């Protein structure tokens, strides 16, 4: 059995909506191995995003614990979580969330500004080449197609050399052919040793992962 | 790319709003700066003007201190007179360097007041060593000769050598000299030999005031006490005159300033609102930054820097406008304030520039610290959701 990169025990999250509690995720156990490619599927509202945000340390769980690369994170404050997130996790959003005033190249470099690493132009060029964005380096997001924007946001997730990429419906806003290309890219990254957790609606795409986790009503129903 | 260029690019994206906010700050700063500069300049200028009269105190007829104050400044008429025996008594007091008798008379031409000073020329030259004349001064025993101030000459288009029919008796009087510009009210007056003035206006043997210069200013109050013992005489010192004018001006100033301060306050509230709104609107973007590795501190810094860029840019524009437009403001203020001294009213003081920069910094920090702290505390998802709901 390979090393685990991330493990969750008894993870749950509930939100208050008016007077009632919404249990978005109920006591969930999950572990993902190094270099594993995992898809999370399930109907809308089943808790996929909630699970991914908790695993990505973007949100604090109501209960349960997460350890990342063997390190327990439950006791960490936001300021330490930042460092863990920065070094280990790359996030990709459905809405891309690029900064409209920055060029493709600058958007990719943005996390380096926060991690205070110097910009290695060769490495950035390498990332852009792999993502087929070299000719777009000086363009602004509004000049790009959806697939290109998503590749920029993948580049941004990769720039800090994380051990794992988490993507929440990365192809939700893309057409089938473009979505397929993005998955091929994920597959290639995975073959290079990167772990991936990708939430999707699309069963066919989900099937290209090593492992498919199904969620319903905040619980894992098959793995 | 660094945090400053990131902040600048964020601001450029909303250039219309950024521009308007900068303009708002600029107007507030320009008004504030003009206000403070005027306040400082006015008092200094007034003090300077009174000094430039070269006189330490005036002996005036009893019962007319306010008239006396206005007389020193505008010229004017006092309904009572001093006599030559009063002058004798004043001159007997020790420590008085110069006691120069003067007659003031006011007449109207084309509804505009004209002030005539009957003076003793040698004494006046000693009191006002900066006086220079185009042409010549008159002699004290001369008749039919006068000297006029520079502004008066320009307004009335008077030339040296010109002859005017002067006073109620239309006495032909030659302008023998025009004073070079003094920068104070002397520029507005007619000067005649004392005896000639008394004769023309039928005030023989009468004096409006006696201008006094002491040989040691530390003795001013002692000498003024002695002067007060002369039955007909009341003494007005320059310090008292200054106080009287500041009181007079004070109430008009207070009204003007409170209106401006209320306007400033309203505009500050508007600016604060815009700045806070523009941070709140972008909470989602800050959430994304946190998700890709920005710490609370990074986000706070970005917010504070963006806000300070706006307020400091506004400050720079505002100060430039205020410095460039100080003449306009001066003109406006002169129209509103009851008495304004000659010369530059607006004093450009580096300290006031610092005060304005401090004000801009304070507004910037006030507006950014709360949103910055709030954004810093949110988890990335809380931030990203905050404007989606
Ligand atoms: N911030 C929130 N406040 C209240 N309820 C929420 C919030 N986020 C998610 N939920 C609820 O939690 C449940 C799971 O949501 P989510 O994880 O987004 O599902 P999915 O991504 O599978 O569509 C849903 O019922 C949703 O309405
Ligand atoms: Mg979702």
């Amino acid at each position: 059995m390979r090393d685990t990169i991330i493990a969750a025990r008894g993870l749950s999250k509930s939100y208050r909506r008016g007077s009632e509690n919404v249990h978005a995720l109920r006591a969930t156990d999950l572990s993902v191995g190094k270099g594993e490619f995992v898809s999370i599927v399930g109907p809308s509202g089943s808790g996929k995003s909630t699970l991914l945000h908790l695993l990505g340390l973007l949100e604090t769980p109501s209960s349960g614990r997460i350890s990342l690369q063997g390190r327990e994170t439950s006791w960490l404050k936001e300021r330490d979580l930042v460092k863990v997130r920065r070094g280990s996790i790359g996030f990709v959003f459905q809405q891309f969330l690029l900064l409209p005033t920055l060029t493709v190249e600058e958007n990719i470099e943005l996390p380096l500004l926060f991690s205070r690493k110097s910009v290695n132009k060769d490495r950035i060029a390498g990332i852009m080449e792999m993502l087929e964005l070299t000719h777009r380096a000086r363009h602004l997001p509004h000049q790009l197609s959806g697939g290109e924007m998503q590749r920029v946001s993948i580049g941004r997730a990769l720039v800090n050399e994380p051990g794992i990429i988490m993507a929440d419906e990365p192809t939700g806003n893309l057409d089938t052919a473009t979505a397929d290309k993005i998955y091929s890219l994920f597959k290639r990254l995975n073959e290079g040793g990167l772990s991936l957790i990708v939430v999707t609606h699309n069963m066919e795409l989900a099937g290209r992962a090593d492992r498919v986790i199904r969620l319903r009503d905040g619980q894992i129903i098959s793995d | 790319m660094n945090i400053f260029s990131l902040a600048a690019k964020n601001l450029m994206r909303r250039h219309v709003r950024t521009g308007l906010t900068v303009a708002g700050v600029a107007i507030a700063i320009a008004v504030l700066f003009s206000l403070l500069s005027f306040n400082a300049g006015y008092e200094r200028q007034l003090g300077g003007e009174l000094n430039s009269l070269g006189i330490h105190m005036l002996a005036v007829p009893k019962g007319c201190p306010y008239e006396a104050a206005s007389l020193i400044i505008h010229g004017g008429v006092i309904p009572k007179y001093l006599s030559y025996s009063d002058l004798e008594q004043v001159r007997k007091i020790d420590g008085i360097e110069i006691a120069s008798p003067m007659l003031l008379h006011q007449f109207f031409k084309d509804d505009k007041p004209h002030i005539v000073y009957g003076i003793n020329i040698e004494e006046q030259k000693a009191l006002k060593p900066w006086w220079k004349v185009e042409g010549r001064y008159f002699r004290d025993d001369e008749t039919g000769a006068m000297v006029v101030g520079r502004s008066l000459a320009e307004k009335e288009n008077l030339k040296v050598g010109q002859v005017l029919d002067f006073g109620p008796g239309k006495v032909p009087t030659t302008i023998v000299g025009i004073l070079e510009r003094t920068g104070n009210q002397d520029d507005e007056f007619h000067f005649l030999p004392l005896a000639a003035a008394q004769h023309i206006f039928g005030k023989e043997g009468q004096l409006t005031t006696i201008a006094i210069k002491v040989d040691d200013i530390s003795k001013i109050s002692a000498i003024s006490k002695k002067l007060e013992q002369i039955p007909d005489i009341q003494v007005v010192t320059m310090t008292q005159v200054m106080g009287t004018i500041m009181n007079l001006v004070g109430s008009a100033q207070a009204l003007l300033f409170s209106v401006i301060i209320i306007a400033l306050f309203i505009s500050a509230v508007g600016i604060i609102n815009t700045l806070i709104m523009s941070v709140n609107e972008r909470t989602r973007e800050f959430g994304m930054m946190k998700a890709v590795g920005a710490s609370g501190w990074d986000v706070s810094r970005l917010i504070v820097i963006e806000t300070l860029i706006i307020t400091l840019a506004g400050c720079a524009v505002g100060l430039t406008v205020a410095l460039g437009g100080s003449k306009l403001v001066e003109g406006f203020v002169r129209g509103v304030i009851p008495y304004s001294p000659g010369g530059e009213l607006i004093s450009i003081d580096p300290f006031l520039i610092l005060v304005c920069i401090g004000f801009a910094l304070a507004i910037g920090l006030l507006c950014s610290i709360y949103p910055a702290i709030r954004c810093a505390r949110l988890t990335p998802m809380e931030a990203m959701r905050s404007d989606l709901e």
Side-chain angles (χ1 to χ4, degrees), chain A residues 48-49 168-169 199:
Chain A
K48 306 181 296 295
S49 296
D168 191 358
E169 304 201 30
V199 169

Side-chain angles (χ1 to χ4, degrees), chain B residues 102-250:
Chain B
M102 302 198 283
L103 176 77
L104 270 78
H105 188 84
Q106 175 171 300
F107 67 90
F108 286 85
K109 191 179 148 205
D110 305 330
D111 280 342
K112 292 205 192 73
H114 285 248
I115 307 292
V116 182
Y117 264 72
I119 55 171
N120 178 323
I121 191 67
E122 292 310 321
E123 283 167 354
Q124 287 296 317
K125 274 156 60 182
L127 288 171
K128 298 171 178 178
W130 55 86
W131 270 17
K132 290 203 179 70
V133 74
E134 177 200 336
R136 65 172 178 89
Y137 292 117
F138 44 73
R139 292 183 317 275
D140 281 335
D141 58 2
E142 212 171 337
T143 53
M146 78 173 150
V147 167
V148 296
R150 177 62 59 181
S151 306
L152 178 65
E154 282 167 4
K155 267 186 262 177
E156 303 276 313
N157 204 12
L158 303 176
K159 298 276 176 292
V160 173
Q162 198 172 332
V163 181
L164 301 178
D165 290 334
F166 201 66
K170 302 258 178 254
V171 182
T173 308
T174 311
I175 297 170
V176 297
I178 297 175
L179 283 184
E180 283 181 16
R181 192 172 298 284
T182 60
N184 63 36
Q185 304 283 339
D186 286 348
D187 292 341
E188 307 286 343
F189 298 148
H190 303 260
F191 297 93
L192 271 74
L194 178 58
Q198 284 169 331
H199 177 73
I200 290 177
F201 296 106
K203 301 279 198 275
E204 271 92 352
Q206 295 180 320
L207 303 173
T208 311
T209 183
I210 303 168
I212 295 169
K213 183 174 189 226
V214 300
D215 51 19
D216 176 358
I217 50 170
S218 67
K219 291 190 209 139
I220 285 181
S221 72
I223 291 174
S224 122
K225 282 212 186 70
K226 279 191 200 153
L227 284 166
E228 299 257 328
Q229 284 163 8
I230 302 171
D232 297 336
I233 284 183
Q234 179 156 9
V235 177
V236 182
T237 63
M238 286 304 137
T239 332
Q240 288 167 331
V241 171
M242 176 132 172
T244 309
I245 295 175
M246 289 313 285
N247 276 344
L248 227 75
V249 169

Side-chain angles (χ1 to χ4, degrees), chain A residues 47-58:
Chain A
K48 306 181 296 295
S49 296
T50 305
L51 175 59
L52 201 68
H53 295 153
L54 292 176
L55 292 175
L57 310 178
L58 299 183

Side-chain angles (χ1 to χ4, degrees), chain B residues 302-369:
Chain B
L302 185 62
I303 293 171
V304 171
I305 289 171
E306 276 188 28
T307 313
L308 288 184
I309 288 177
I310 291 195
T311 56
L312 291 178
C315 182
V317 174
L319 287 177
T320 311
V321 168
L323 293 176
S326 65
K327 287 275 173 293
L328 280 176
V329 174
E330 186 159 330
F332 168 73
V333 168
R334 273 184 195 284
V336 185
I337 291 284
Y339 170 71
S340 348
E344 300 254 313
L345 278 189
I346 307 272
S347 115
I348 309 293
D349 182 344
F351 172 73
L352 294 182
I353 295 184
L354 288 182
V355 168
C356 287
I357 294 174
F359 181 76
L361 277 175
I363 291 257
L365 289 177
L366 183 73
C367 297
S368 56
I369 281 188

Side-chain angles (χ1 to χ4, degrees), chain A residues 13 15 53 57-60 78-79 82 85-86 89 91 93 95-103 106-107 109-111 113-116 156-157 160, chain B residues 1-3 5-6 9-10 12-13 284-285 287-299 301-302 376-382 384-385 388:
Chain A
K13 177 79 183 176
Y15 297 103
H53 295 153
L57 310 178
L58 299 183
E59 187 147 52
T60 41
E78 173 64 24
R79 47 187 290 191
V82 169
R85 232 170 12 228
R86 212 182 254 165
I89 306 170
F91 236 94
F93 301 94
Q95 314 87 329
F96 323 132
L97 300 183
L98 304 177
L99 284 184
T101 44
L102 301 187
T103 62
E106 289 168 331
N107 264 292
E109 288 169 5
L110 182 67
L113 175 66
F114 302 128
S115 56
R116 284 138 185 93
R156 183 177 64 189
N160 268 327
Chain B
M1 190 173 52
N2 59 42
I3 194 116
S5 61
L6 182 60
K9 282 179 177 167
N10 278 335
M12 288 313 292
R13 176 163 117 223
R284 177 180 181 187
E285 200 169 292
M288 175 279 285
M289 292 185 194
K290 291 184 126 187
V292 304
S295 62
W297 164 240
D298 289 328
V299 169
R301 234 174 11 142
L302 185 62
R377 287 221 184 111
L378 296 176
T379 66
M381 282 319 298
E382 283 167 342
M384 279 195 272
R385 267 196 301 265
L388 297 175

